[in-house]
Amino acid sequence: MQRTTMTALKNDTFLRALMRQPTDYTPVWMMRQAGRYLPEYRESRKTAGSFLQLCKNAQFATDVTLQPLDRYPLLDAAILFSDILTVPDAMGLGLYFEEGEGPKFERTLQLEADIQKLTVPDMAKLQYVFDAVSNIRKALNGRVPLIGFSGSPWTLATYMVEGKGGTDFLNTKKLAYARPELLHHILEVTAQTVIQYLNAQIAAGAQAVMIFDSWGGALSHNAYTEFSLNYMQKIVAGLTKNAEGKKVPSIVFTKGGALWLEAQAEIGADALGLDWAVDIGSARKRVGDKVALQGNLDPAILLSTPEAIEKEVASVLASYGKGSGHVFNLGHGITQWTPPENAAAMLEAVRKHSLQYHQ
């Protein structure tokens, strides 16, 4: 794939923090920062139609990605507007969305014959994603870095086996324990797919990449290493450099993954995402200077008041303490019920209170 060369960055604070380099303040972005809590996003959905139609239209995806940046000038990064389930969709499982029920698949991987047929798809099936990345980079014009992303193999496998998200994962776990070789086949094929997928995003212009392991925390202690962490390590090792020959920073985020922070810090990623259940100061002590940390305000706090938001932001920043290596974020995606002015209050509080930790 042809590599994209773009305008130099005007604000590289986010990338510097990921690489644990000095910054003037703690950079911040929000998971799901382009989403249903924004009235302009809801208007875009009316025009574009379904969520998938929005993702597959490069111009709409670009417009939506830029919406939070236009509203909130204190954001330090943009993230590609897409979905982790584009990958299993390209693998032929038939992604669709049911109103009020979330994503589902027409076909699942539960029979051995279906599992054995699974192969790495032609990346041309995901060209709409790479077109969006390139388009967004051009539209950003160096304003802030662009984050590309994928789901982790384990998380994607749960959707492919169960046919939907948010379950107890009993079919996937049954496969893990009764026929581990079949689950490993799914995970290996998916890992190789994700490597190609993220590298194509990098070639198209992504300046950092993030692996979302949304359901890794559902695994037992040993199963997490075998079925999730090992495959994320393969992906990180397989990432290529950008058009300038520079390393593209990577972030790994396992929701509910605080038990494995030390192990996560050893897989070669530049940063670890944290959910809100772990104290970020304790996490910093546990991982030392091996990785940067991203997080970890409880998204529910944004449903409260500006005063409560400022207090909690100050608490997270104080817990991390002085020095670089912290990217402020939520501990999971922003909820659709968040008042947009409360997100602004959080961003203002991060800038106001973080300056003292970078002097």
Side-chain angles (χ1 to χ4, degrees):
M1 177 174 288
Q2 185 177 1
R3 290 178 173 269
T4 303
T5 305
M6 300 285 183
T7 308
L9 272 174
K10 301 176 180 77
N11 175 1
D12 67 350
T13 309
F14 165 70
L15 296 180
R16 290 180 64 81
L18 287 184
M19 303 307 292
R20 304 183 306 287
Q21 297 170 354
T23 57
D24 295 331
Y25 59 89
T26 302
V28 58
W29 67 280
M30 300 179 290
M31 286 185 275
R32 282 199 212 120
Q33 65 188 25
R36 288 180 288 179
Y37 75 105
L38 290 177
E40 52 267 45
Y41 171 83
R42 296 194 295 271
E43 283 301 312
S44 295
R45 279 292 297 272
K46 289 178 186 175
T47 308
S50 71
F51 174 79
L52 265 181
Q53 286 172 317
L54 198 61
C55 290
K56 292 186 176 184
N57 183 309
Q59 190 54 54
F60 275 122
T62 300
D63 293 343
V64 168
T65 298
L66 267 56
Q67 285 171 353
L69 297 169
D70 293 339
R71 181 182 276 263
Y72 304 121
L74 293 179
L75 284 169
D76 292 291
I79 183 164
L80 164 70
F81 182 80
S82 189
D83 193 274
I84 64 170
L85 299 181
T86 55
V87 168
D89 186 47
M91 296 168 97
L93 298 188
L95 175 64
Y96 68 100
F97 287 81
E98 280 198 357
E99 196 65 38
E101 292 191 37
K104 291 188 176 182
F105 285 99
E106 295 169 3
R107 292 168 288 283
T108 59
L109 296 178
Q110 295 188 10
L111 299 176
E112 181 171 355
D114 293 331
I115 293 170
Q116 296 293 3
K117 288 178 193 171
L118 190 69
T119 57
V120 175
D122 185 340
M123 287 295 119
K125 293 180 179 177
L126 292 160
Q127 187 60 45
Y128 66 90
V129 176
F130 315 136
D131 290 342
V133 170
S134 180
N135 216 40
I136 294 163
R137 269 297 302 273
K138 289 172 186 169
L140 283 169
N141 195 31
R143 196 187 333 183
V144 293
L146 174 62
I147 306 165
F149 70 90
S150 174
S152 72
W154 162 257
T155 291
L156 296 177
T158 64
Y159 285 96
M160 291 192 280
V161 174
E162 306 292 340
K164 57 184 179 180
T167 72
D168 50 17
F169 313 116
L170 288 183
N171 289 311
T172 318
K173 288 184 174 184
K174 176 184 175 183
L175 202 59
Y177 294 116
R179 297 292 306 276
E181 75 281 4
L182 293 181
L183 183 55
H184 279 301
H185 177 72
I186 296 172
L187 295 169
E188 179 62 31
V189 171
T190 305
Q192 295 306 318
T193 302
V194 170
I195 289 169
Q196 291 189 30
Y197 182 55
L198 290 179
N199 283 337
Q201 290 184 42
I202 290 169
Q207 291 150 293
V209 293
M210 184 163 172
I211 302 169
F212 286 90
D213 189 28
S214 306
W215 304 123
L219 286 162
S220 70
H221 187 80
N222 291 338
Y224 173 76
T225 302
E226 180 178 354
F227 297 111
S228 185
L229 190 63
N230 287 347
Y231 288 96
M232 290 193 288
Q233 184 170 14
K234 280 190 179 187
I235 293 166
V236 171
L239 295 176
T240 55
K241 295 179 179 179
N242 63 16
E244 290 77 40
K246 295 178 180 177
K247 178 183 181 182
V248 173
S250 57
I251 309 161
V252 167
F253 172 50
T254 296
K255 187 173 183 291
L259 283 173
W260 302 284
L261 285 179
E262 291 87 349
Q264 291 167 15
E266 299 288 348
I267 71 168
D270 298 289
L272 303 180
L274 303 176
D275 64 28
W276 63 86
V278 59
D279 176 77
I280 196 168
S282 299
R284 187 182 187 186
K285 290 175 184 173
R286 288 169 60 189
V287 301
D289 61 358
K290 290 178 181 174
V291 289
L293 295 175
Q294 179 174 275
N296 66 330
L297 191 73
D298 184 345
I301 290 165
L302 298 186
L303 303 175
S304 62
T305 65
E307 295 76 20
I309 292 165
E310 183 171 4
K311 178 184 174 185
E312 293 299 326
V313 166
S315 176
V316 172
L317 290 167
S319 180
Y320 185 85
K322 282 190 173 290
S324 190
H326 180 204
V327 173
F328 198 97
N329 207 316
L330 302 173
H332 201 232
I334 190 169
T335 76
Q336 63 177 300
W337 300 283
T338 300
E341 61 271 20
N342 283 3
M346 184 200 81
L347 297 171
E348 289 161 9
V350 172
R351 183 64 62 90
K352 172 184 173 183
H353 288 281
S354 70
L355 292 170
Q356 63 187 301
Y357 299 109
H358 296 273
Q359 294 173 352

